[in-house]
Amino acid sequence: MTAKEFLQQVFRNYRDLDNKLEQIVRLQEVTKKVTTVINGVPTFGNSDSSRIENAIVSFHLLSVKLADEVTSFLDIWVQVAELISHIPNPDERLILEYRYLNFYSWQKISQCTNTTRRRVYQVHNDALKSVEKFAPLHSISPNFTIDKGDIIQSEK
């Protein structure tokens, strides 16, 4: 995995997570529309109440899965933020933060840094080289942690 691919994980996971959150909101809207009539007579099998119970269980399972994905996203975000924080050049570090943690466009980064877009590209390329020097490509993986400036493979 290249340094750029590693850094881009945050955005890909954020986009996927955002999509899942939209699905949850739609599912919540649907479940609010469901109403039941309680008549006091127990029913068995594929009754409306058992379908509603199944929907509630499905919603709960989806919520648990989403919580796991949020945790996974946060783990990756923290790893990328930690790696970026160890880049010695403040300009390179700022460009990486804007691009990979704040998800800014190149144009917005250019405006925020008051530089040309070409200069932003140059600093970004230098920053990627710094990432590769700091964390050799064989060490950049989804399961790394940073300890006192050293990249260490985690035991996952």
Side-chain angles (χ1 to χ4, degrees):
M1 175 181 299
T2 66
K4 188 173 182 177
E5 290 169 338
F6 178 76
L7 295 169
Q8 288 175 332
Q9 290 182 103
V10 174
F11 180 71
R12 282 192 309 272
N13 285 319
Y14 176 78
R15 185 183 57 215
D16 293 343
L17 186 63
D18 197 39
N19 182 40
K20 296 272 191 285
L21 289 171
E22 286 179 25
Q23 291 174 22
I24 291 287
V25 168
R26 283 194 301 276
L27 184 58
Q28 286 174 333
E29 290 170 1
V30 169
T31 57
K32 287 177 185 176
K33 293 178 183 178
V34 176
T35 59
T36 62
V37 177
I38 301 175
N39 61 10
V41 178
T43 58
F44 301 98
N46 266 344
S47 67
D48 287 339
S49 63
S50 67
R51 282 186 273 173
I52 292 169
E53 289 169 3
N54 290 339
I56 291 169
V57 169
S58 295
F59 180 73
H60 174 71
L61 293 175
L62 187 58
S63 297
V64 169
K65 182 179 178 186
L66 180 63
D68 290 343
E69 290 181 20
V70 168
T71 301
S72 176
F73 165 75
L74 291 175
D75 289 344
I76 292 170
W77 193 92
V78 166
Q79 290 176 359
V80 169
E82 185 73 19
L83 178 63
I84 290 172
S85 74
H86 286 84
I87 301 302
N89 183 308
D91 294 332
E92 292 175 3
R93 191 171 51 246
L94 184 64
I95 297 292
L96 292 176
E97 287 172 350
Y98 280 155
R99 185 68 179 169
Y100 299 107
L101 299 177
N102 298 346
F103 315 126
Y104 285 3
S105 67
W106 295 116
Q107 181 177 353
K108 185 162 184 171
I109 295 171
S110 176
Q111 291 169 347
C112 290
T113 57
N114 199 29
T115 59
T116 65
R117 200 181 311 188
R118 179 183 169 124
R119 180 64 186 145
V120 169
Y121 293 148
Q122 290 170 341
V123 173
H124 178 259
N125 284 335
D126 293 342
L128 291 178
K129 290 174 187 171
S130 294
V131 168
E132 290 173 1
K133 285 179 189 171
F134 179 74
L137 292 181
H138 67 277
S139 296
I140 295 179
S141 74
N143 297 325
F144 86 92
T145 56
I146 297 179
D147 183 44
K148 298 179 183 172
D150 298 322
I151 302 294
I152 301 171
Q153 293 294 339
S154 69
E155 300 295 322
K156 290 185 179 180

